[in-house]
């Protein structure tokens, strides 16, 4: 297991061969899965700074796990990656510096690594350390005399100059991701001190600011009225609604749970918002909406209200699937086909913090 200087894109879970292996495994086509896996690891497997749930050794462990396989060398490499990321985060906190979404988010950071560790079964000290780190983000920080959320980033959402920094609010890159993984850990019986308090902090933040993709310093005192925006899984109302439903379950808060479900139903019956969905992908298209909606229905006390929505989303996905130009998991045909098939035998949806 080596850290390649320029690792091949095939080992990406998002668009590489690793992601495409998920469909073969879910369909129990193991010969095709082996071919995809061989292609993915042919140029080495990254354990460097870019290793994450969506790239390199952690992504490989996740995919192998969907087939019920464990490679101890891969697992040991992942443990080293997680330990290094935690150590870096602790150094940053000790220095009093602001975080960056890549430190904590699902796609690149410790939220994604925590989601992976949660799939191993028996909770490990390393998993608890990741959860404790995510809980620590709920503690505010003080910068230049101003109190800011513990996940506040000095960088802009697209690495542009953003005076005063920002909070990313989405599932893929923002605070909704840590909220989801803390809730899912609780569901699997894994708790650390302060976990429920952190869930409450993150959920209340999203109550106020979750209608926008991100929040800047100028918006803290006066949150803007949310403009119509694409209601996708990665950013937007549907992804956040699922995390708020999970928060309601974790906190035994039926009002929060019901409000999240009501938000999803309103969003999925709003022609203006649905008109902003332009493709079939998991990340920001019909496949993501369908997969989230199924999970919300499964956890709802009134699942029948979601049935017509699931039917309509399935039709929209089927009609647009062939228009995807890419073959991959997050933005291509592989992920869209997984959603259309409608099965989750291997728990592939755990990569998206949906389940």
């Amino acid at each position: 297991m080596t850290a390649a200087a320029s690792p091949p894109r095939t080992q990406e879970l998002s668009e590489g061969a690793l992601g495409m292996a998920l469909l073969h495994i879910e369909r129990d086509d193991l010969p095709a899965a082996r071919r995809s896996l061989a292609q993915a690891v042919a140029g080495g497997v990254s354990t460097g700074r870019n290793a994450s749930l969506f790239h390199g050794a952690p992504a490989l462990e996740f995919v192998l796990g969907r087939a019920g396989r464990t490679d101890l060398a891969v697992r040991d490499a992942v443990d080293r990656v997680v330990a290094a990321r935690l150590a870096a985060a602790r150094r940053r906190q000790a220095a009093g510096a602001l975080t960056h979404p890549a430190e904590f988010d699902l796609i690149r950071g410790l939220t994604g690594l925590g989601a992976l560790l949660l799939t191993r079964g028996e909770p490990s000290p390393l998993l608890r350390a990741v959860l404790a780190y995510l809980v620590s983000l709920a503690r505010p920080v003080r910068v230049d005399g101003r109190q800011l959320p513990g996940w506040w980033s000095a960088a802009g959402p697209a690495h542009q100059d953003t005076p005063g920094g920002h909070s990313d609010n989405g599932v893929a890159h923002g605070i909704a991701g840590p909220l989801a993984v803390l809730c899912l850990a609780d569901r699997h019986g894994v708790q650390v001190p302060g976990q429920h308090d952190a869930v409450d902090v993150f959920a209340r933040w999203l109550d106020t600011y979750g209608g926008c993709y991100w929040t800047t310093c100028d918006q803290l005192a006066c949150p803007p009225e949310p403009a119509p925006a694409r209601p996708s899984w990665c950013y937007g109302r549907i992804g956040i609604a699922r995390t708020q439903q999970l928060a309601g379950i974790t906190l035994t808060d039926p009002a929060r749970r019901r409000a999240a479900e009501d938000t999803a139903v309103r969003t999925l019956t709003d022609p203006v918002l649905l008109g902003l969905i332009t493709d079939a992908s998991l990340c920001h298209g019909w496949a993501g909406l369908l997969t989230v909606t199924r999970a919300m229905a499964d956890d709802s006390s009134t699942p029948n209200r979601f049935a017509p929505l699931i039917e309509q989303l399935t039709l929209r996905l089927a009609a647009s699937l062939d228009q995807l130009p890419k073959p991959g998991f997050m933005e291509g045909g592989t992920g869209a086909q997984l959603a259309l098939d409608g099965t989750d035998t291997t728990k592939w949806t755990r990569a998206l913090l949906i389940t």
Side-chain angles (χ1 to χ4, degrees):
M1 197 73 57
T2 59
S6 298
R9 293 179 63 86
T10 54
Q11 63 182 275
E12 291 182 358
L13 188 60
S14 56
E15 295 303 320
L18 270 183
M20 287 182 271
L22 286 176
L23 178 62
H24 301 314
I25 294 169
E26 181 67 23
R27 289 178 164 181
D28 201 28
D29 186 351
L30 296 187
R34 290 189 190 97
R35 290 192 294 272
S36 291
L37 286 167
Q39 179 185 355
V41 304
V45 180
S46 176
T47 58
R49 294 179 62 184
N50 61 352
S52 67
L53 174 60
F54 279 77
H55 188 87
L60 177 59
E61 180 183 338
F62 180 81
V63 174
L64 290 174
R66 299 321 92 212
R69 307 295 172 86
T70 300
D71 184 304
L72 294 181
V74 173
R75 178 172 287 198
D76 288 346
V78 169
D79 287 351
R80 292 193 296 273
V81 168
V82 177
R85 294 294 181 80
L86 283 169
R90 288 166 180 152
R91 289 193 298 270
R92 189 270 306 164
Q93 288 176 321
L98 292 173
T99 188
H100 187 284
E103 177 184 285
F104 69 82
D105 74 11
L106 171 65
I107 303 297
R108 301 162 295 177
L110 282 159
T111 289
L113 294 172
L116 170 62
L117 296 175
L118 195 56
T119 68
R120 288 183 177 179
E122 286 297 316
S124 67
L126 206 54
L127 171 60
R128 295 185 188 280
V130 170
L131 297 178
Y133 157 78
L134 296 176
V135 166
S136 76
L137 296 177
R139 296 194 288 269
V141 295
R142 186 164 288 278
V143 179
D144 296 331
R146 188 169 195 174
Q147 184 169 287
L148 297 168
W151 63 90
W152 196 263
S153 171
H159 307 292
Q160 76 272 38
D161 182 34
T162 303
H166 85 294
S167 162
D168 195 301
N169 300 326
V171 177
H173 295 296
I175 199 57
L179 171 59
V181 82
L182 289 174
C183 292
L184 292 169
D186 185 82
R187 169 172 281 190
H188 286 86
V190 188
Q191 293 95 19
V192 296
Q195 188 163 333
H196 279 205
D197 289 340
V199 167
D200 185 63
V201 168
F202 299 154
R204 288 180 183 275
W205 171 272
L206 292 172
D207 287 343
T208 303
Y209 298 103
C212 298
Y213 288 175
W214 47 74
T215 303
T216 64
C217 238
D218 291 341
Q219 296 168 339
L220 286 174
C222 185
E225 187 68 26
R230 184 172 61 190
S232 55
W233 163 80
C234 56
Y235 281 101
R237 299 185 188 187
I238 290 300
I240 288 177
R242 173 57 173 165
T243 67
Q244 290 280 33
Q245 184 192 37
L246 290 170
I249 294 169
T250 298
L251 300 174
T252 318
D253 184 344
R256 177 174 296 282
R257 189 172 176 178
R258 179 74 183 197
E261 294 172 13
D262 289 346
T263 294
V265 171
R266 284 197 305 272
T267 301
L268 294 171
T269 53
D270 186 328
V272 173
L273 294 176
L274 293 182
L276 300 174
I277 302 295
T278 58
D279 68 42
S281 71
L282 273 177
C283 185
H284 43 252
W286 299 115
L289 268 62
L290 176 58
T291 306
V292 171
T293 304
R294 285 194 184 113
M296 294 190 73
D298 288 343
D299 280 333
S300 175
S301 60
T302 55
N304 290 340
R305 69 197 298 228
F306 290 94
L309 303 175
I310 291 170
E311 181 179 357
Q312 287 299 314
L313 290 171
T314 302
L315 292 173
R316 288 177 182 268
L317 173 57
S320 56
L321 188 148
D322 290 343
Q323 300 168 24
L324 285 171
K326 298 180 181 180
F329 175 60
M330 290 297 287
E331 296 185 358
T334 293
Q337 190 63 62
L338 276 164
L340 189 60
D341 285 356
T343 63
D344 192 22
T345 305
T346 64
K347 303 301 180 187
W348 63 268
T349 57
R350 296 182 77 171
L352 306 179
L353 295 179
I354 292 172
T355 61

